[in-house]
Amino acid sequence: MDKVAYAAASKHAGTYCVTVSVDGVNFMKPVEVGELVSL
């Protein structure tokens, strides 16, 4: 997830970025075994 956040932030900013922290992730509905999750 950190790599996805970096890719999005650096493309948006047009420069090098770092991520600080993530307090948590909330899913709107359960992810079942075998399902694909895209970030």
Side-chain angles (χ1 to χ4, degrees):
M1 188 179 323
D2 188 54
K3 290 178 182 178
V4 172
Y6 168 77
S10 63
K11 185 164 179 86
H12 177 73
T15 188
Y16 180 78
C17 297
V18 295
T19 53
V20 178
S21 69
V22 174
D23 290 336
V25 175
N26 295 318
F27 292 95
M28 302 302 285
K29 53 186 175 179
V31 177
E32 302 295 332
V33 173
E35 289 184 328
L36 179 65
V37 177
S38 299
L39 297 175

